[in-house]
Amino acid sequence: MKTTRVRYGMLALVFVNVVINYLDRSNISVAGPALSKDLNLSSVDLGYIFSAFGWTYALLQIPGGLVADRFGPRVLYAFCLATWSLSTVFQGFARGFASLFALRLATGAFEAPSYPINNRIVTSWFPDNERASAIALYVSGQFIGLAFLTPILVTIQHYAGWQGLFITTGLVGLVWAIVWYALYRDPLDHKTVSDAELAHIEAGGGHFRGQTAKTDGTSIWQWVNLKQVFSRRTLWGVYIGQFSVNAMLWFFLTWFPTYLVKYRGLDFIKSGYLASVPFLAACAGLLLSGFVSDRLVQQGRSVGAARKTPIIIGMLLSVSIVGANYTDDTALIIFFMSLAFFGSGMALISWVFVSLLSPRHLIGLTGGVFNFMGNLASIIVPIVIGYLAKDGDFKPALVFIAVLGFIGACSYSFLVGKVERGTVTPASDTAALLSERE
């Protein structure tokens, strides 16, 4: 049978979603120095503003995962894109701490289902031995987008102010919501995907049966399912590890430009270009980790070793961020930041463990819990850094981030045991697949 490669087109759409997702998370970091001046915000106030997104984003991850299991990605993602983009536009009209804080809460709430949806899409469209690469490619959107667009965001703010920055990034998301709805389809609903491609996906462990909006998701809303995803030591290992990975990520998404401008005395425009370098390094680490991990699986290495080794090495590399405390040379500061973020990027293939370890009927819920645990860092880390840096010394903040990175390496080394799915659901055979397609 002639095969197609429609799955890569769907992955490209998810990639753009992630770029826009992170534009609307991180635009606040570019606006931070100007916001603190225009709205008279202290470092502690700014820490709370930076963390506001994470309050609702993290707390709604479990409901977001349940919603991702219940509704189709096409409609749900379009709704999320439109609503979080509207919240971003309105941030351009904020007049003080309270209104800006509330709008950041709204942005986090509407983005909450996004990564559980991403994971569901990749689990539906890709076999097991291609999944780490697929995850690495779509997650790289957050780094590629920020690396190349941060200078553009800085330029927009320079000419249009922080108000124009929020309005512009929000409008981009509104337009893309329409494009997404027009182009995305689930595997069994896509008109151009071949039976050979669907058979390849399913034979390799892709799970797309029942992945449509018509699925009866009422059975998911049960306490016994929450118990399943909270009771396993292996899952707790990846939950703690994800918190550590996200601690580094949220430092760069929030405080990094302010660190360069306020605590290292760099020019605002120059900081925009320098800030893009660690994001490129993180992208390189992520792509290297994803492709190496999949290559090891294809060569017959154990799944546990192939998936965990790059993550552990990456988390250990992230500890190097403390090196920036021991130099005043701008080039060395950016080097240590880039090396640490390269390591953190290597660890971001961790979403593959959701597909590997979760019960098949609870992939969305497990992804929600996983992302909830990880994104507690988006609440805690910006606030803690604000307090640690309130006296003008940023060194304790970098030590704090490095310690969390080391904890993440230990979690994957000692808590994550044998990699196996919690509840095995027999896969349907290829004949049944072709029958359903006919």
Side-chain angles (χ1 to χ4, degrees):
M1 294 182 290
K2 183 179 179 180
T3 189
T4 54
R5 294 181 179 272
V6 174
R7 61 191 184 278
Y8 295 108
M10 298 301 100
L11 184 64
L13 296 177
V14 175
F15 175 90
V16 178
N17 287 355
V18 172
V19 171
I20 294 172
N21 187 302
Y22 272 81
L23 279 181
D24 292 333
R25 296 188 196 196
S26 65
N27 50 17
I28 192 75
S29 69
V30 174
L35 279 174
S36 62
K37 181 180 178 181
D38 291 354
L39 302 182
N40 195 28
L41 303 175
S42 68
S43 66
V44 173
D45 291 335
L46 202 57
Y48 278 100
I49 291 293
F50 285 159
S51 77
F53 172 95
W55 290 33
T56 47
Y57 183 80
L59 292 175
L60 292 176
Q61 281 306 298
I62 296 175
L66 291 168
V67 168
D69 281 328
R70 177 66 181 91
F71 297 100
R74 183 188 180 204
V75 173
L76 183 58
Y77 227 141
F79 172 80
C80 291
L81 277 160
T83 49
W84 91 54
S85 297
L86 278 174
S87 299
T88 301
V89 169
F90 290 141
Q91 287 170 50
F93 301 94
R95 290 295 176 266
F97 177 91
S99 59
L100 186 57
F101 188 85
L103 287 167
R104 293 299 295 177
L105 289 174
T107 305
F110 291 124
E111 284 199 23
S114 57
Y115 263 70
I117 300 172
N118 292 343
N119 192 63
R120 172 176 163 170
I121 291 169
V122 170
T123 302
S124 299
W125 274 103
F126 286 85
D128 289 340
N129 65 356
E130 297 177 5
R131 204 165 291 154
S133 299
I135 291 171
L137 284 169
Y138 82 69
V139 174
S140 72
Q142 67 195 48
F143 301 124
I144 293 175
L146 294 177
F148 290 102
L149 294 178
T150 294
I152 296 174
L153 296 182
V154 168
T155 303
I156 291 172
Q157 178 168 315
H158 180 71
Y159 290 103
W162 57 267
Q163 297 91 341
L165 174 64
F166 287 125
I167 293 169
T168 301
T169 52
L171 290 176
V172 169
L174 287 172
V175 172
W176 181 252
I178 298 171
V179 176
W180 166 264
Y181 184 80
L183 297 181
Y184 179 79
R185 297 293 187 277
D186 283 327
L188 292 176
D189 297 328
H190 204 288
K191 293 182 180 179
T192 62
V193 65
S194 67
D195 289 337
E197 183 174 10
L198 289 176
H200 168 73
I201 294 168
E202 188 177 45
H207 181 58
F208 52 78
R209 291 188 181 281
Q211 296 282 356
T212 70
K214 296 180 287 186
T215 302
D216 179 11
T218 56
S219 62
I220 295 172
W221 298 77
Q222 296 178 6
W223 286 110
V224 65
N225 292 327
L226 284 174
K227 182 179 179 181
Q228 284 190 61
V229 298
F230 274 111
S231 61
R232 298 183 62 209
R233 188 193 72 175
T234 299
L235 284 175
W236 272 103
V238 297
Y239 296 158
I240 294 170
Q242 190 67 3
F243 179 92
S244 301
V245 172
N246 277 6
M248 179 72 69
L249 176 63
W250 278 96
F251 161 69
F252 280 96
L253 290 179
T254 57
W255 278 102
F256 183 49
T258 301
Y259 167 72
L260 294 179
V261 173
K262 184 176 179 180
Y263 295 91
R264 288 300 190 171
L266 298 185
D267 173 78
F268 179 68
I269 295 293
K270 183 178 180 181
S271 73
Y273 287 93
L274 291 176
S276 68
V277 177
F279 286 104
L280 288 173
C283 180
L286 172 63
L287 294 175
L288 174 66
S289 179
F291 287 109
V292 168
S293 180
D294 273 353
R295 183 64 175 167
L296 291 173
V297 172
Q298 292 162 10
Q299 290 177 345
R301 306 292 177 87
S302 74
V303 174
R307 301 312 192 196
K308 288 193 294 184
T309 301
I311 293 176
I312 294 169
I313 293 172
M315 294 305 297
L316 291 174
L317 279 176
S318 73
V319 178
S320 64
I321 195 171
V322 296
N325 283 343
Y326 301 98
T327 181
D328 292 321
D329 183 84
T330 300
L332 285 176
I333 291 170
I334 297 301
F335 168 76
F336 285 118
M337 293 287 167
S338 300
L339 180 61
F341 213 13
F342 173 86
S344 182
M346 289 182 66
L348 277 172
I349 64 164
S350 50
W351 267 98
V352 75
F353 284 98
V354 176
S355 301
L356 288 171
L357 299 174
S358 66
R360 287 191 182 275
H361 66 298
L362 297 177
I363 289 174
L365 176 59
T366 309
V369 174
F370 174 81
N371 219 20
F372 164 73
M373 294 295 185
N375 278 282
L376 288 176
S378 67
I379 302 173
I380 295 169
V381 170
I383 294 175
V384 171
I385 290 176
Y387 279 103
L388 290 174
K390 68 179 181 178
D391 295 326
D393 184 4
F394 212 86
K395 291 180 180 179
L398 297 187
V399 173
F400 168 65
I401 298 299
V403 169
L404 291 179
F406 183 74
I407 290 172
C410 291
S411 180
Y412 272 100
S413 297
F414 303 114
L415 287 181
V416 179
K418 185 178 180 181
V419 176
E420 57 186 5
R421 192 178 298 280
T423 301
V424 178
T425 301
S428 302
D429 58 25
T430 303
L433 165 64
L434 299 179
S435 175
E436 183 174 339
R437 287 279 290 171
E438 293 170 359

